[in-house]
Amino acid sequence: FKEVIIMSLTCENCGYKSNEVKGGGEIASHGTRITLRAETTCDMSRGVVKSDTACVAIPEIDFELKESGLGLYTTVEGLLMKMHDGLKQASPFASKDSTNHDKFDKFLSELKNMAEGNRLPFTLIITDPISNSFVGPITESGQSFVQQADQSISDDKRISIEEFQRSREEDDRFGLSDMNTSS
């Protein structure tokens, strides 16, 4: 896990809350794929940093969300609910006349059930070509990483972290191909 900048906003007048995560420090030479096997409701409280360059996938419901313009700091539950709410709001199938409306409603229901811990187990995969994303470990007692800072990710049997070489297209998309790092 590396340096990130967490920006948070709360409006005292209307109650609106927002947080955003941006990468800080140097860019990693590789991408990272974090795979979490969520098996208990304790997994839903794991801390998550999802950068604006990360893709999120849940194979059990054939779901993949490509990189988005917003990085965030939340929990597994919060990430799933944010995706649920965003899809529900932006859905082209929102019209009751749509032939795909029932399928989409069922999909949203599955995603919400996962977020609420009612559909376990499932696999959450966060693939980040810039390596600015993170999923925190949980101890056997159910404490999150923040509560038990000495808990190591390597001790967590439900998280795997895999490094990968970015593709030329990814380097181009993030402006890394043209970057001159020599002095």
Side-chain angles (χ1 to χ4, degrees), residues 11 26-27 167:
C11 179
E26 70 181 64
I27 296 173
S167 69

Side-chain angles (χ1 to χ4, degrees), residues 2 25-32 128-132 166 171 176:
K2 53 191 246 180
E26 70 181 64
I27 296 173
S29 62
H30 58 273
T32 306
D128 190 347
I130 303 295
S131 293
N132 283 341
R166 278 188 297 273
D171 281 344
L176 301 175

Side-chain angles (χ1 to χ4, degrees), residues 70-143:
L70 183 65
L72 57 106
Y73 173 67
T74 186
T75 60
V76 171
E77 175 186 9
L79 176 63
L80 297 181
M81 284 307 297
K82 189 150 190 93
M83 292 186 304
H84 170 274
D85 295 347
L87 288 168
K88 187 174 182 176
Q89 186 176 37
S91 167
F93 306 115
S95 164
K96 295 285 185 193
D97 298 335
S98 172
T99 56
N100 291 318
H101 178 75
D102 289 341
K103 284 183 186 176
F104 189 68
D105 270 356
K106 184 178 180 193
F107 170 80
L108 285 178
S109 178
E110 292 268 339
L111 187 56
K112 188 172 185 176
N113 280 329
M114 287 177 168
E116 293 172 345
N118 298 325
R119 188 187 185 284
L120 295 167
F122 66 89
T123 308
L124 176 69
I125 303 169
I126 300 177
T127 304
D128 190 347
I130 303 295
S131 293
N132 283 341
S133 296
F134 174 79
V135 176
I138 289 284
T139 66
E140 289 301 316
S141 65
Q143 292 178 311

Side-chain angles (χ1 to χ4, degrees), residues 5-7 18-23 48-54 68-74 82 133:
I5 299 166
I6 300 175
M7 298 170 278
S18 173
N19 68 57
E20 187 174 349
V21 174
K22 292 288 184 187
V48 174
V49 174
K50 187 207 88 54
S51 82
D52 55 350
T53 59
S68 63
L70 183 65
L72 57 106
Y73 173 67
T74 186
K82 189 150 190 93
S133 296

